[in-house]
Amino acid sequence: MATVRKLYLGCPYCNIASGNEKDTVFVYDDSRVCAFRDPYPDSENHFIVLSKIHISDYNSLSEKDISLLEHMRTVGIKLLDQVCEPNMPKRMGFLPNSFSRVNHLHMHCLALPLTCNWVRRLVYSPLIFFDSKDLVEEVKESCYNL
């Protein structure tokens, strides 16, 4: 029997995704994801792309979520391309739960350079921050054993 995922009342990002958080202004919204400027930005242009279904983190992803991840990546690229110069470096990905404020699948999209302090910069290092492209490939590999 397939597990049905839904929004959870106690989850602040479920509250945002459902449109019940009136202080959050979406810069993108469709049936699968919404996006907004991070309220605690770590770069001049820092967006959050948020799944509209509750998935606690990237460790809970399955084969059915691959298209969602690809869509989140496409939306993130679109948002950053709208505000960045063509060759400006960008970073898109996911933080592990231990470094995240909310346990709900969301992707950070940042135009570099980072503007946060050196401690916060560490969370965006390759040792901690999981690049969106790499995550898509890893989920595919784990599902299809490629």
Side-chain angles (χ1 to χ4, degrees):
M1 181 178 203
T3 302
V4 176
R5 294 186 189 142
K6 56 185 178 182
L7 297 176
Y8 292 98
L9 293 176
C11 175
Y13 275 4
C14 283
N15 194 42
I16 290 172
S18 67
N20 292 330
E21 177 58 53
K22 301 304 178 202
D23 292 337
T24 303
V25 177
F26 294 152
V27 294
Y28 181 88
D29 188 26
D30 67 26
S31 63
R32 300 171 73 194
V33 301
C34 58
F36 53 92
R37 287 191 172 274
D38 192 307
Y40 307 101
D42 291 320
S43 75
E44 185 177 327
N45 289 294
H46 184 172
F47 300 100
I48 300 294
V49 178
L50 176 63
S51 165
K52 285 198 173 179
I53 58 171
H54 186 87
I55 302 172
S56 60
D57 64 13
Y58 58 73
N59 293 312
S60 303
L61 295 168
S62 67
E63 179 180 355
K64 67 182 176 182
D65 301 314
I66 292 170
S67 68
L68 173 64
L69 284 175
E70 291 171 333
H71 182 59
M72 291 174 81
R73 184 168 163 68
T74 298
V75 169
I77 290 168
K78 178 181 175 180
L79 290 172
L80 289 174
D81 284 349
Q82 290 175 355
V83 297
C84 295
E85 296 297 323
N87 293 322
M88 183 177 240
K90 303 163 185 82
R91 191 165 294 155
M92 294 189 316
F94 302 83
L95 292 170
N97 277 350
S98 55
F99 290 93
S100 182
R101 293 181 181 106
V102 181
N103 293 334
H104 182 119
L105 185 70
H106 61 284
M107 184 176 69
H108 290 263
C109 305
L110 303 109
L112 300 181
L114 296 174
T115 57
C116 51
N117 65 40
W118 70 271
V119 175
R120 185 75 183 149
R121 286 174 198 250
L122 291 175
V123 302
Y124 295 109
S125 71
L127 295 173
I128 297 172
F129 194 65
F130 208 149
D131 183 85
S132 62
K133 186 176 181 182
D134 294 342
L135 181 59
V136 169
E137 293 308 312
E138 186 167 304
V139 173
K140 284 181 179 179
E141 284 181 27
S142 68
C143 294
Y144 302 129
N145 294 322
L146 297 175

PDB file of all heavy atoms in Angstrom, residues 104-127:
ATOM      1  N   HIS A 104      11.362  19.850   6.703  1.00  0.00           N
ATOM      2  CA  HIS A 104      10.447  19.775   5.563  1.00  0.00           C
ATOM      3  C   HIS A 104      11.324  20.010   4.341  1.00  0.00           C
ATOM      4  O   HIS A 104      12.098  20.969   4.324  1.00  0.00           O
ATOM      5  CB  HIS A 104       9.378  20.865   5.692  1.00  0.00           C
ATOM      6  CG  HIS A 104       8.347  20.866   4.605  1.00  0.00           C
ATOM      7  ND1 HIS A 104       7.011  20.685   4.866  1.00  0.00           N
ATOM      8  CD2 HIS A 104       8.450  21.029   3.269  1.00  0.00           C
ATOM      9  CE1 HIS A 104       6.336  20.753   3.732  1.00  0.00           C
ATOM     10  NE2 HIS A 104       7.194  20.972   2.739  1.00  0.00           N
ATOM     11  N   LEU A 105      11.228  19.146   3.355  1.00  0.00           N
ATOM     12  CA  LEU A 105      12.102  19.234   2.188  1.00  0.00           C
ATOM     13  C   LEU A 105      12.050  20.626   1.559  1.00  0.00           C
ATOM     14  O   LEU A 105      10.980  21.088   1.159  1.00  0.00           O
ATOM     15  CB  LEU A 105      11.721  18.181   1.149  1.00  0.00           C
ATOM     16  CG  LEU A 105      12.645  18.092  -0.063  1.00  0.00           C
ATOM     17  CD1 LEU A 105      14.002  17.522   0.348  1.00  0.00           C
ATOM     18  CD2 LEU A 105      12.023  17.242  -1.157  1.00  0.00           C
ATOM     19  N   HIS A 106      13.189  21.278   1.525  1.00  0.00           N
ATOM     20  CA  HIS A 106      13.296  22.590   0.893  1.00  0.00           C
ATOM     21  C   HIS A 106      14.713  22.768   0.363  1.00  0.00           C
ATOM     22  O   HIS A 106      15.670  22.270   0.926  1.00  0.00           O
ATOM     23  CB  HIS A 106      12.920  23.718   1.857  1.00  0.00           C
ATOM     24  CG  HIS A 106      13.784  23.817   3.068  1.00  0.00           C
ATOM     25  ND1 HIS A 106      13.695  22.954   4.139  1.00  0.00           N
ATOM     26  CD2 HIS A 106      14.773  24.693   3.386  1.00  0.00           C
ATOM     27  CE1 HIS A 106      14.576  23.291   5.053  1.00  0.00           C
ATOM     28  NE2 HIS A 106      15.258  24.354   4.623  1.00  0.00           N
ATOM     29  N   MET A 107      14.803  23.456  -0.749  1.00  0.00           N
ATOM     30  CA  MET A 107      16.081  23.663  -1.418  1.00  0.00           C
ATOM     31  C   MET A 107      16.499  25.119  -1.287  1.00  0.00           C
ATOM     32  O   MET A 107      15.701  26.026  -1.536  1.00  0.00           O
ATOM     33  CB  MET A 107      15.968  23.285  -2.903  1.00  0.00           C
ATOM     34  CG  MET A 107      17.271  23.386  -3.659  1.00  0.00           C
ATOM     35  SD  MET A 107      17.123  22.837  -5.375  1.00  0.00           S
ATOM     36  CE  MET A 107      16.111  24.146  -6.051  1.00  0.00           C
ATOM     37  N   HIS A 108      17.752  25.322  -0.902  1.00  0.00           N
ATOM     38  CA  HIS A 108      18.318  26.667  -0.834  1.00  0.00           C
ATOM     39  C   HIS A 108      18.908  27.001  -2.201  1.00  0.00           C
ATOM     40  O   HIS A 108      19.632  26.190  -2.792  1.00  0.00           O
ATOM     41  CB  HIS A 108      19.428  26.734   0.220  1.00  0.00           C
ATOM     42  CG  HIS A 108      18.923  26.624   1.606  1.00  0.00           C
ATOM     43  ND1 HIS A 108      18.684  27.729   2.394  1.00  0.00           N
ATOM     44  CD2 HIS A 108      18.591  25.544   2.355  1.00  0.00           C
ATOM     45  CE1 HIS A 108      18.236  27.330   3.563  1.00  0.00           C
ATOM     46  NE2 HIS A 108      18.177  26.004   3.568  1.00  0.00           N
ATOM     47  N   CYS A 109      18.605  28.179  -2.697  1.00  0.00           N
ATOM     48  CA  CYS A 109      19.131  28.676  -3.967  1.00  0.00           C
ATOM     49  C   CYS A 109      19.821  29.997  -3.669  1.00  0.00           C
ATOM     50  O   CYS A 109      19.164  30.952  -3.260  1.00  0.00           O
ATOM     51  CB  CYS A 109      18.004  28.897  -4.967  1.00  0.00           C
ATOM     52  SG  CYS A 109      16.975  27.447  -5.229  1.00  0.00           S
ATOM     53  N   LEU A 110      21.127  30.028  -3.867  1.00  0.00           N
ATOM     54  CA  LEU A 110      21.912  31.200  -3.485  1.00  0.00           C
ATOM     55  C   LEU A 110      22.751  31.701  -4.651  1.00  0.00           C
ATOM     56  O   LEU A 110      23.410  30.916  -5.340  1.00  0.00           O
ATOM     57  CB  LEU A 110      22.850  30.859  -2.332  1.00  0.00           C
ATOM     58  CG  LEU A 110      22.213  30.314  -1.076  1.00  0.00           C
ATOM     59  CD1 LEU A 110      22.524  28.854  -0.918  1.00  0.00           C
ATOM     60  CD2 LEU A 110      22.676  31.089   0.116  1.00  0.00           C
ATOM     61  N   ALA A 111      22.736  33.004  -4.827  1.00  0.00           N
ATOM     62  CA  ALA A 111      23.676  33.643  -5.742  1.00  0.00           C
ATOM     63  C   ALA A 111      24.915  33.974  -4.918  1.00  0.00           C
ATOM     64  O   ALA A 111      24.809  34.523  -3.829  1.00  0.00           O
ATOM     65  CB  ALA A 111      23.071  34.905  -6.326  1.00  0.00           C
ATOM     66  N   LEU A 112      26.062  33.605  -5.421  1.00  0.00           N
ATOM     67  CA  LEU A 112      27.306  33.875  -4.692  1.00  0.00           C
ATOM     68  C   LEU A 112      27.810  35.270  -5.030  1.00  0.00           C
ATOM     69  O   LEU A 112      27.503  35.795  -6.099  1.00  0.00           O
ATOM     70  CB  LEU A 112      28.327  32.800  -5.046  1.00  0.00           C
ATOM     71  CG  LEU A 112      27.888  31.377  -4.702  1.00  0.00           C
ATOM     72  CD1 LEU A 112      28.973  30.391  -5.071  1.00  0.00           C
ATOM     73  CD2 LEU A 112      27.514  31.233  -3.237  1.00  0.00           C
ATOM     74  N   PRO A 113      28.509  35.913  -4.152  1.00  0.00           N
ATOM     75  CA  PRO A 113      29.134  35.384  -2.941  1.00  0.00           C
ATOM     76  C   PRO A 113      28.158  35.345  -1.774  1.00  0.00           C
ATOM     77  O   PRO A 113      27.147  36.054  -1.735  1.00  0.00           O
ATOM     78  CB  PRO A 113      30.251  36.386  -2.659  1.00  0.00           C
ATOM     79  CG  PRO A 113      29.710  37.689  -3.158  1.00  0.00           C
ATOM     80  CD  PRO A 113      28.879  37.334  -4.375  1.00  0.00           C
ATOM     81  N   LEU A 114      28.501  34.495  -0.804  1.00  0.00           N
ATOM     82  CA  LEU A 114      27.739  34.444   0.434  1.00  0.00           C
ATOM     83  C   LEU A 114      28.016  35.712   1.243  1.00  0.00           C
ATOM     84  O   LEU A 114      29.115  36.253   1.191  1.00  0.00           O
ATOM     85  CB  LEU A 114      28.141  33.209   1.245  1.00  0.00           C
ATOM     86  CG  LEU A 114      27.828  31.859   0.599  1.00  0.00           C
ATOM     87  CD1 LEU A 114      28.416  30.732   1.426  1.00  0.00           C
ATOM     88  CD2 LEU A 114      26.340  31.677   0.400  1.00  0.00           C
ATOM     89  N   THR A 115      27.014  36.172   1.968  1.00  0.00           N
ATOM     90  CA  THR A 115      27.169  37.385   2.782  1.00  0.00           C
ATOM     91  C   THR A 115      27.128  37.075   4.275  1.00  0.00           C
ATOM     92  O   THR A 115      27.215  37.992   5.089  1.00  0.00           O
ATOM     93  CB  THR A 115      26.059  38.397   2.446  1.00  0.00           C
ATOM     94  OG1 THR A 115      24.789  37.764   2.653  1.00  0.00           O
ATOM     95  CG2 THR A 115      26.171  38.889   1.014  1.00  0.00           C
ATOM     96  N   CYS A 116      26.996  35.812   4.623  1.00  0.00           N
ATOM     97  CA  CYS A 116      26.900  35.411   6.028  1.00  0.00           C
ATOM     98  C   CYS A 116      28.279  35.309   6.673  1.00  0.00           C
ATOM     99  O   CYS A 116      29.306  35.382   5.994  1.00  0.00           O
ATOM    100  CB  CYS A 116      26.170  34.071   6.132  1.00  0.00           C
ATOM    101  SG  CYS A 116      26.837  32.790   5.056  1.00  0.00           S
ATOM    102  N   ASN A 117      28.306  35.102   7.981  1.00  0.00           N
ATOM    103  CA  ASN A 117      29.577  34.981   8.686  1.00  0.00           C
ATOM    104  C   ASN A 117      30.267  33.643   8.358  1.00  0.00           C
ATOM    105  O   ASN A 117      29.659  32.757   7.762  1.00  0.00           O
ATOM    106  CB  ASN A 117      29.380  35.156  10.196  1.00  0.00           C
ATOM    107  CG  ASN A 117      28.546  34.058  10.818  1.00  0.00           C
ATOM    108  OD1 ASN A 117      28.657  32.887  10.489  1.00  0.00           O
ATOM    109  ND2 ASN A 117      27.676  34.446  11.738  1.00  0.00           N
ATOM    110  N   TRP A 118      31.498  33.512   8.766  1.00  0.00           N
ATOM    111  CA  TRP A 118      32.294  32.345   8.368  1.00  0.00           C
ATOM    112  C   TRP A 118      31.737  31.037   8.925  1.00  0.00           C
ATOM    113  O   TRP A 118      31.825  30.001   8.265  1.00  0.00           O
ATOM    114  CB  TRP A 118      33.760  32.518   8.767  1.00  0.00           C
ATOM    115  CG  TRP A 118      34.012  32.454  10.247  1.00  0.00           C
ATOM    116  CD1 TRP A 118      33.984  33.479  11.135  1.00  0.00           C
ATOM    117  CD2 TRP A 118      34.309  31.284  10.996  1.00  0.00           C
ATOM    118  NE1 TRP A 118      34.247  33.027  12.397  1.00  0.00           N
ATOM    119  CE2 TRP A 118      34.454  31.675  12.354  1.00  0.00           C
ATOM    120  CE3 TRP A 118      34.480  29.941  10.677  1.00  0.00           C
ATOM    121  CZ2 TRP A 118      34.744  30.775  13.367  1.00  0.00           C
ATOM    122  CZ3 TRP A 118      34.765  29.045  11.693  1.00  0.00           C
ATOM    123  CH2 TRP A 118      34.906  29.466  13.017  1.00  0.00           C
ATOM    124  N   VAL A 119      31.112  31.081  10.088  1.00  0.00           N
ATOM    125  CA  VAL A 119      30.530  29.864  10.657  1.00  0.00           C
ATOM    126  C   VAL A 119      29.370  29.390   9.787  1.00  0.00           C
ATOM    127  O   VAL A 119      29.261  28.212   9.452  1.00  0.00           O
ATOM    128  CB  VAL A 119      30.070  30.098  12.118  1.00  0.00           C
ATOM    129  CG1 VAL A 119      29.347  28.881  12.667  1.00  0.00           C
ATOM    130  CG2 VAL A 119      31.247  30.469  12.995  1.00  0.00           C
ATOM    131  N   ARG A 120      28.520  30.316   9.421  1.00  0.00           N
ATOM    132  CA  ARG A 120      27.370  29.961   8.578  1.00  0.00           C
ATOM    133  C   ARG A 120      27.842  29.512   7.187  1.00  0.00           C
ATOM    134  O   ARG A 120      27.227  28.633   6.577  1.00  0.00           O
ATOM    135  CB  ARG A 120      26.431  31.168   8.482  1.00  0.00           C
ATOM    136  CG  ARG A 120      25.170  30.909   7.742  1.00  0.00           C
ATOM    137  CD  ARG A 120      24.189  30.091   8.534  1.00  0.00           C
ATOM    138  NE  ARG A 120      23.016  29.827   7.702  1.00  0.00           N
ATOM    139  CZ  ARG A 120      22.265  28.751   7.792  1.00  0.00           C
ATOM    140  NH1 ARG A 120      22.506  27.839   8.687  1.00  0.00           N
ATOM    141  NH2 ARG A 120      21.237  28.592   7.009  1.00  0.00           N
ATOM    142  N   ARG A 121      28.921  30.092   6.681  1.00  0.00           N
ATOM    143  CA  ARG A 121      29.460  29.686   5.372  1.00  0.00           C
ATOM    144  C   ARG A 121      29.829  28.209   5.344  1.00  0.00           C
ATOM    145  O   ARG A 121      29.738  27.562   4.313  1.00  0.00           O
ATOM    146  CB  ARG A 121      30.691  30.504   5.015  1.00  0.00           C
ATOM    147  CG  ARG A 121      30.401  31.914   4.608  1.00  0.00           C
ATOM    148  CD  ARG A 121      31.707  32.670   4.413  1.00  0.00           C
ATOM    149  NE  ARG A 121      31.454  34.082   4.445  1.00  0.00           N
ATOM    150  CZ  ARG A 121      31.543  34.863   3.383  1.00  0.00           C
ATOM    151  NH1 ARG A 121      31.920  34.382   2.240  1.00  0.00           N
ATOM    152  NH2 ARG A 121      31.276  36.138   3.491  1.00  0.00           N
ATOM    153  N   LEU A 122      30.240  27.702   6.492  1.00  0.00           N
ATOM    154  CA  LEU A 122      30.627  26.291   6.566  1.00  0.00           C
ATOM    155  C   LEU A 122      29.487  25.345   6.205  1.00  0.00           C
ATOM    156  O   LEU A 122      29.721  24.280   5.639  1.00  0.00           O
ATOM    157  CB  LEU A 122      31.156  25.950   7.962  1.00  0.00           C
ATOM    158  CG  LEU A 122      32.491  26.564   8.350  1.00  0.00           C
ATOM    159  CD1 LEU A 122      32.818  26.223   9.803  1.00  0.00           C
ATOM    160  CD2 LEU A 122      33.598  26.111   7.424  1.00  0.00           C
ATOM    161  N   VAL A 123      28.238  25.732   6.522  1.00  0.00           N
ATOM    162  CA  VAL A 123      27.122  24.834   6.218  1.00  0.00           C
ATOM    163  C   VAL A 123      26.883  24.706   4.706  1.00  0.00           C
ATOM    164  O   VAL A 123      26.255  23.748   4.271  1.00  0.00           O
ATOM    165  CB  VAL A 123      25.806  25.216   6.935  1.00  0.00           C
ATOM    166  CG1 VAL A 123      25.979  25.235   8.429  1.00  0.00           C
ATOM    167  CG2 VAL A 123      25.222  26.498   6.427  1.00  0.00           C
ATOM    168  N   TYR A 124      27.396  25.648   3.947  1.00  0.00           N
ATOM    169  CA  TYR A 124      27.249  25.581   2.489  1.00  0.00           C
ATOM    170  C   TYR A 124      28.460  24.937   1.814  1.00  0.00           C
ATOM    171  O   TYR A 124      28.579  24.944   0.595  1.00  0.00           O
ATOM    172  CB  TYR A 124      26.992  26.979   1.909  1.00  0.00           C
ATOM    173  CG  TYR A 124      25.674  27.538   2.374  1.00  0.00           C
ATOM    174  CD1 TYR A 124      25.614  28.586   3.274  1.00  0.00           C
ATOM    175  CD2 TYR A 124      24.471  26.992   1.928  1.00  0.00           C
ATOM    176  CE1 TYR A 124      24.406  29.091   3.713  1.00  0.00           C
ATOM    177  CE2 TYR A 124      23.259  27.490   2.365  1.00  0.00           C
ATOM    178  CZ  TYR A 124      23.230  28.535   3.259  1.00  0.00           C
ATOM    179  OH  TYR A 124      22.032  29.019   3.689  1.00  0.00           O
ATOM    180  N   SER A 125      29.349  24.376   2.601  1.00  0.00           N
ATOM    181  CA  SER A 125      30.518  23.692   2.036  1.00  0.00           C
ATOM    182  C   SER A 125      30.088  22.321   1.519  1.00  0.00           C
ATOM    183  O   SER A 125      29.088  21.755   1.980  1.00  0.00           O
ATOM    184  CB  SER A 125      31.613  23.547   3.093  1.00  0.00           C
ATOM    185  OG  SER A 125      31.224  22.588   4.060  1.00  0.00           O
ATOM    186  N   PRO A 126      30.836  21.767   0.570  1.00  0.00           N
ATOM    187  CA  PRO A 126      30.483  20.459   0.010  1.00  0.00           C
ATOM    188  C   PRO A 126      30.431  19.329   1.042  1.00  0.00           C
ATOM    189  O   PRO A 126      29.780  18.320   0.817  1.00  0.00           O
ATOM    190  CB  PRO A 126      31.587  20.197  -1.016  1.00  0.00           C
ATOM    191  CG  PRO A 126      32.120  21.542  -1.356  1.00  0.00           C
ATOM    192  CD  PRO A 126      31.967  22.373  -0.115  1.00  0.00           C
ATOM    193  N   LEU A 127      31.070  19.504   2.182  1.00  0.00           N
ATOM    194  CA  LEU A 127      31.025  18.465   3.212  1.00  0.00           C
ATOM    195  C   LEU A 127      29.666  18.387   3.905  1.00  0.00           C
ATOM    196  O   LEU A 127      29.306  17.362   4.476  1.00  0.00           O
ATOM    197  CB  LEU A 127      32.111  18.703   4.255  1.00  0.00           C
ATOM    198  CG  LEU A 127      33.541  18.596   3.754  1.00  0.00           C
ATOM    199  CD1 LEU A 127      34.512  19.014   4.841  1.00  0.00           C
ATOM    200  CD2 LEU A 127      33.830  17.185   3.282  1.00  0.00           C
TER     201      LEU A 127
END
